[in-house]
Amino acid sequence: MKIGCADVDGHNWPNLCLMKLSAYHKGRGDTVEMWRPEGWYDLVYKSRVFTDTYSKDNIYIANADQIIRGGTGYGPGPDLLDVVEHQRPDYSLYPQFPDTAYGFLTRGCPRACGFCIVSDKEGRRSHQVADLSEFWDGQREIKLLDANLLACPDHERLILQLAESRAYVDFSQGLDIRLTTPDNIALLNRVRTKAVHFAWDDPNVDLTGYFRRFVELTAIKSDRRRRVYVLTNYGSTHEQDLYRVDTLRGLGFDPYVMVYDRPSAPPITRHLQRWVNNKRIFHTVRDFADYAPAKRLRENPI
């Protein structure tokens, strides 16, 4: 069989599901490639992670006997078969991302945040689903996709696996700052960390003490490598958004503004995102009130 893989979200980040499907089909002797409009396919897997709010499905496939669509961007659907889920990903499907491993050690999250689908999709308990060896085979870098690793009862053993790999680890989806302890921070200090991500999503919960303790105990000295997602346009005021940004910078973290349902966000929130996320501007213009677009908005409010 000739199999095509269509990544609707684009190629800024490899699609783990497609890589596992590719490995599975190649193991059965099938030919697999990224889908192209030329030629004919017996089967095309069309996968997307994001909804129309963040990426449009502009791929029309007319050259396949069968098309299977999947991923959270298409709504709830069946999970991968167990035999596919536990395939080592076919990294050759994305040669533009060399020497990097992608995968999950755990699934699920107990937080059940209203803006996040993880708890509904994967369960309200963080549980181990793999050892590191299932998706890492000596690559220099590991991008970990877990939603809440520290909520897993086995997280210390899993962090030790990451430390012993000696690969550079990017906790890309964030660690739960509320679940950090002196013990697991000591273990994290043994990991060759390319970047550690946290989140401060709820402006009504003061996380200052947790962030301050982490800075005191972590071996990561660069604030550029201590990153925090700041959720905006989800029940917060501009003042609450700016407070979290300023507080995090003052504590030695690098904030990164995420805008929920960006098309509905007010102009001030979009300006805040540009100011914070463009690091050249953020480190040059220290006060948001001095940021030119914000000044113009104050002078000419909509």
Side-chain angles (χ1 to χ4, degrees):
M1 291 180 65
K2 185 178 180 182
I3 310 296
C5 295
D7 185 348
V8 174
D9 299 311
H11 296 162
N12 293 327
W13 189 279
N15 186 300
L16 184 61
C17 176
L18 291 178
M19 290 193 289
K20 290 183 177 183
L21 286 165
S22 177
Y24 169 73
H25 278 282
K26 285 183 176 179
R28 296 180 54 179
D30 298 328
T31 299
V32 184
E33 64 182 28
M34 295 302 292
W35 171 82
R36 295 179 295 175
E38 303 82 22
W40 194 264
Y41 296 90
D42 298 289
L43 171 63
V44 171
Y45 289 103
K46 193 177 183 185
S47 178
R48 69 186 304 203
V49 175
F50 302 108
T51 62
D52 285 342
T53 301
Y54 300 100
S55 67
K56 302 296 183 182
D57 182 357
N58 295 320
I59 298 178
Y60 175 71
I61 298 173
N63 58 336
D65 290 327
Q66 183 182 8
I67 301 171
I68 296 179
R69 297 171 177 83
T72 53
Y74 289 121
D79 295 330
L80 292 175
L81 296 174
D82 196 61
V83 66
V84 179
E85 182 64 61
H86 293 283
Q87 291 281 326
R88 184 185 299 280
D90 175 16
Y91 293 114
S92 69
L93 198 63
Y94 290 90
Q96 66 270 45
F97 299 102
D99 211 18
T100 305
Y102 298 81
F104 294 86
L105 293 173
T106 66
R107 294 275 195 173
C109 177
R111 297 297 181 187
C113 300
F115 55 83
C116 179
I117 68 169
V118 170
S119 295
D120 287 339
K121 183 173 180 286
E122 300 177 2
R124 292 193 62 175
R125 181 178 68 88
S126 177
H127 59 284
Q128 182 181 353
V129 294
D131 284 309
L132 181 60
S133 59
E134 185 169 298
F135 58 89
W136 176 78
D137 188 24
Q139 289 91 339
R140 182 174 180 272
E141 182 177 345
I142 297 167
K143 286 194 180 289
L144 201 65
L145 308 179
D146 300 41
N148 200 330
L149 173 65
L150 298 185
C152 176
D154 300 311
H155 75 268
E156 292 190 351
R157 180 172 56 81
L158 296 174
I159 293 173
L160 190 58
Q161 290 182 14
L162 294 168
E164 291 174 345
S165 76
R166 303 310 296 154
Y168 287 96
V169 179
D170 181 353
F171 296 92
S172 63
Q173 301 304 302
L175 295 171
D176 192 333
I177 191 68
R178 292 162 289 187
L179 300 179
T180 55
T181 66
D183 287 340
N184 60 32
I185 294 174
L187 281 175
L188 289 169
N189 286 341
R190 298 173 60 181
V191 178
R192 298 179 75 184
T193 307
K194 187 167 184 178
V196 63
H197 294 83
F198 297 105
W200 191 347
D201 297 320
D202 188 345
N204 299 308
V205 177
D206 187 4
L207 302 181
T208 305
Y210 297 103
F211 285 115
R212 182 177 290 115
R213 180 179 64 181
F214 184 82
V215 168
E216 292 170 352
L217 298 176
T218 184
I220 301 171
K221 300 308 179 185
S222 171
D223 59 352
R224 306 290 179 94
R225 295 169 54 210
R226 300 190 299 244
R227 302 169 185 166
V228 184
Y229 300 122
V230 177
L231 183 68
T232 63
N233 200 40
Y234 191 81
S236 62
T237 65
H238 171 67
E239 290 71 24
Q240 289 174 319
D241 297 339
L242 188 57
Y243 172 80
R244 285 176 288 162
V245 167
D246 287 341
T247 299
L248 287 166
R249 176 157 61 176
L251 290 171
F253 290 86
D254 187 18
Y256 188 89
V257 170
M258 308 289 286
V259 180
Y260 182 81
D261 190 23
R262 195 173 189 278
S264 73
I268 192 70
T269 301
R270 297 197 291 271
H271 289 317
L272 180 71
Q273 183 185 44
R274 295 189 194 102
W275 174 64
V276 173
N277 295 358
N278 186 323
K279 297 308 175 183
R280 179 176 297 180
I281 297 175
F282 188 59
H283 293 291
T284 302
V285 183
R286 298 292 297 182
D287 193 325
F288 180 65
D290 296 326
Y291 179 49
K295 283 185 175 180
R296 288 195 298 268
L297 188 62
R298 288 198 307 274
E299 294 167 359
N300 301 285
I302 296 176

